[in-house]
Amino acid sequence: MLLPVTAGINNEGRITIGGCDTGDLKSGYGTPLYIMDIATVKMQCEKYINSFAFKDFESEIIYASKAFCSLAMCQLVKQQGLSIDVSTGGELFIAIRSGFDPGKIYFHGNNKSADEINFGIDYKVGTFIVDSFEELEAVNEIAGQKECIQKIMLRITPGIKAHTHKYIQTGAIESKFGFGIQSGIALEAVKKAADLENIKLIGVHAHIGSQIFNIEVYDSLIDVMTSFMAEASKKTGASLNHLNIGGGLGIKYMPDDRPASIEDFAELVHNALLKYTKKNDIKIEKIYLEPGRSIAGNAGTTLYEAGTIKEIPQIKNYIAIDGGMSDNIRPVLYQAKYNAFIAGRASYLGEIKDGEAVGGASPAGSTSTLANFNEKKYNIVGKHCESGDVIIEDIMLPEARKGDLLLVAATGAYCYSMSSNYNGQPKSAVVAVEDGKSWVWVDRQSYEDLYMRDRKLYE
Ligand code: LLP
């Protein structure tokens, strides 16, 4: 699945999502527009819940809200039975305001402020994921002042490198996150946590990276973590039998991407749990997962309007869109690749089934030849004052026209949540689509919103 599972092409040759015509979405809400397909989010949540429902281990699926956080998204994952991971006071606030049961909130962050810790404890956040000795002490102290016992997990650095972009690897020894196993610091942290009286250590956590395709690293992760849990339990007397293995499952951005399915991921995790609990002689009661991208990513698409089409003969053709790096920073930041479609004239794609273009002139999308279409190679660029503001390089598309609607796939995760007002670009609206209906999840910012919090030159 590259596009949302409900995507199709209607008789007018326009792409539809959740039964809504992208042309109508453009007229109703304007562009750039983030479109979230509720059916795809629900399907992904359901796959996680069902595939990780093991007989021999309890499990909890925690949505990593950094992927896409809004009141409605929190409410949707809650309705689907997921818990939530927040990484700052801000995400925590949104989760609380969405009506999330605080007991199902997992509070991350490698540098929580005293205010954030106070806020979390006041709101009765279920579990803090503690990242440093300073935080252990601060949580213990603040919980003591409030006469409560705070449940925590310790973030462990397992010393495992996931083969993904270096900015989104987090499990290696040199990582800024967590307590390292190899250095002996993780063991110290377990000892310390076990001694602190206002803290209840319930388990350990590791997150090794994001957009992971080689899921075998989770096998190594479970080996390393269960071995550490066994050693730490023996040496400290702490009973460590809850294991949180973070998020990271990769998704399809490009036609050739072959990410593992949630089902295969679950099977690998299950087998690894059976194998390594035996090998390392430890009982695991509960496993936790924290998917973000694989819940929200393919559910989202971004609709743009093509403006200037610039052709530099024999060199490059550009399609400039009405958004860019302010609504999707990922190509600039991580050299991330995206695929796009001409949504208003999509018959060149043949059909779209299960989120994939099939049987058209260009089933594979980006680089293949569009027989019978006057195809051209384009760079899709944004409207920002940066040459690097490129959303897609070298994509083959039917000859583009000013006013064409362009739909970029797989933008549901880490696009809206990483968006900015660079160049005074108001943040785009987010609309939800389901069963032929569409409605706003997040309003488009106005120009007024851009200076609402500004003050005068002097008081
Ligand atoms: N748990 C923890 C502790 C995390 O730090 C993350 C992501 C997740 C779960 C969710 O990972 P996911 O399932 O989404 O891969 N901005 C980058 C991704 C940064 C991920 C940060 N942590 C990007 O756009 O690729």
Side-chain angles (χ1 to χ4, degrees):
M1 166 178 61
L2 176 60
L3 283 161
V5 69
T6 61
I9 299 175
N10 65 14
N11 294 337
E12 284 76 45
R14 284 193 291 271
I15 296 185
T16 61
I17 302 173
C20 298
D21 182 325
T22 43
D24 296 343
L25 294 175
K26 152 84 187 159
S27 349
Y29 306 101
T31 48
L33 184 66
Y34 297 107
I35 304 167
M36 286 301 283
D37 181 49
I38 293 197
T40 305
V41 175
K42 285 184 177 169
M43 182 178 90
Q44 297 302 87
C45 292
E46 233 173 80
K47 280 190 189 169
Y48 265 106
I49 299 241
N50 294 340
S51 322
F52 282 88
F54 304 138
K55 282 197 306 292
D56 23 22
F57 306 96
E58 271 182 73
S59 62
E60 186 167 337
I61 310 296
I62 305 168
Y63 170 61
S65 67
K66 69 204 77 181
F68 171 56
C69 187
S70 78
L71 282 187
M73 184 65 182
C74 294
Q75 286 164 350
L76 178 57
V77 296
K78 172 182 173 230
Q79 185 199 75
Q80 297 309 300
L82 272 60
S83 302
I84 200 158
D85 145 0
V86 297
S87 55
T88 60
E91 284 177 355
L92 171 58
F93 189 67
I94 296 176
I96 299 270
R97 281 295 160 93
S98 78
F100 234 98
D101 167 3
K104 292 193 161 185
I105 299 181
Y106 290 78
F107 195 2
H108 280 269
N110 67 312
N111 186 23
K112 298 181 191 76
S113 67
D115 280 352
E116 286 177 314
I117 297 173
N118 267 291
F119 176 33
I121 296 180
D122 285 343
Y123 274 91
K124 306 207 169 358
V125 159
T127 310
F128 276 62
I129 316 294
V130 173
D131 198 285
S132 64
F133 288 109
E134 287 87 341
E135 188 186 341
L136 259 181
E137 272 158 24
V139 173
N140 183 58
E141 192 184 319
I142 297 172
Q145 289 158 6
K146 297 179 196 289
E147 296 181 0
C148 64
I149 309 275
Q150 180 60 52
K151 275 196 296 179
I152 68 152
M153 285 186 179
L154 290 173
R155 175 142 183 183
I156 305 296
T157 322
I160 289 176
K161 275 200 174 155
H163 296 282
T164 183
H165 192 283
K166 68 174 190 287
Y167 289 3
I168 51 179
Q169 279 180 4
T170 48
I173 336 186
E174 66 269 28
S175 169
K176 75 168 178 175
F177 296 104
F179 300 97
I181 295 183
Q182 286 80 356
S183 57
I185 294 173
L187 188 60
E188 285 305 305
V190 172
K191 271 190 204 141
K192 175 146 197 166
D195 285 347
L196 294 172
E197 41 179 24
N198 305 306
I199 274 179
K200 183 172 188 315
L201 176 63
I202 64 159
V204 288
H205 168 284
H207 169 79
I208 46 177
S210 200
Q211 185 57 1
I212 293 173
F213 275 28
N214 61 326
I215 56 172
E216 293 70 31
V217 291
Y218 290 96
D219 182 272
S220 318
L221 174 66
I222 292 171
D223 187 8
V224 170
M225 291 297 280
T226 49
S227 146
F228 170 70
M229 289 161 88
E231 183 200 353
S233 302
K234 271 181 212 120
K235 292 195 173 150
T236 67
S239 68
L240 286 178
N241 36 36
H242 286 213
L243 172 60
N244 185 331
I245 57 168
L249 184 63
I251 65 162
K252 185 164 184 164
Y253 285 96
M254 295 298 286
D256 296 337
D257 287 343
R258 296 279 172 272
S261 67
I262 295 171
E263 291 84 350
D264 288 349
F265 180 34
E267 193 182 331
L268 180 138
V269 168
H270 189 221
N271 289 338
L273 283 172
L274 293 173
K275 188 166 46 170
Y276 296 119
T277 47
K278 198 161 167 205
K279 172 182 161 213
N280 295 320
D281 187 24
I282 176 135
K283 186 170 162 31
I284 297 284
E285 281 172 9
K286 188 164 174 185
I287 180 92
Y288 302 69
L289 280 290
E290 289 174 344
R293 191 189 310 268
S294 49
I295 299 281
N298 296 107
T301 49
T302 312
L303 190 64
Y304 300 99
E305 186 178 66
T308 306
I309 315 273
K310 194 173 281 181
E311 304 196 348
I312 309 175
Q314 273 94 55
I315 300 186
K316 257 192 172 89
N317 302 319
Y318 288 105
I319 304 176
I321 51 172
D322 48 358
M325 62 191 286
S326 54
D327 59 72
N328 184 356
I329 189 72
R330 301 193 68 261
V332 179
L333 203 52
Y334 315 117
Q335 297 78 49
K337 302 273 179 278
Y338 282 88
N339 201 2
F341 307 94
I342 299 200
R345 299 184 289 126
S347 40
Y348 73 97
L349 293 168
E351 248 186 295
I352 301 178
K353 261 196 196 151
D354 299 325
E356 303 283 343
V358 283
S362 172
S366 63
T367 48
S368 67
T369 304
L370 306 180
N372 307 323
F373 285 86
N374 191 10
E375 58 167 1
K376 280 200 168 154
K377 195 193 264 185
Y378 289 103
N379 270 17
I380 301 183
V381 296
K383 62 183 291 182
H384 294 280
C385 304
E386 305 261 349
S387 302
D389 179 23
V390 179
I391 295 288
I392 302 178
E393 246 175 304
D394 295 341
I395 180 168
M396 299 304 294
L397 287 172
E399 186 161 21
R401 303 177 195 148
K402 183 174 166 59
D404 264 334
L405 284 181
L406 281 167
L407 187 72
V408 176
T411 59
Y414 303 112
C415 288
Y416 173 75
S417 62
M418 296 177 78
S419 63
S420 75
N421 288 125
Y422 184 44
N423 290 143
Q425 175 84 343
K427 288 196 185 181
S428 303
V430 183
V431 298
V433 292
E434 188 176 39
D435 297 333
K437 295 194 195 70
S438 64
W439 64 98
V440 176
W441 264 9
V442 184
D443 275 308
R444 181 178 304 283
Q445 283 185 337
S446 65
Y447 287 148
E448 278 72 25
D449 289 328
L450 296 177
Y451 71 90
M452 285 280 283
R453 311 193 75 78
D454 286 16
R455 299 283 192 104
K456 290 195 296 273
L457 174 59
Y458 295 112
E459 283 290 289

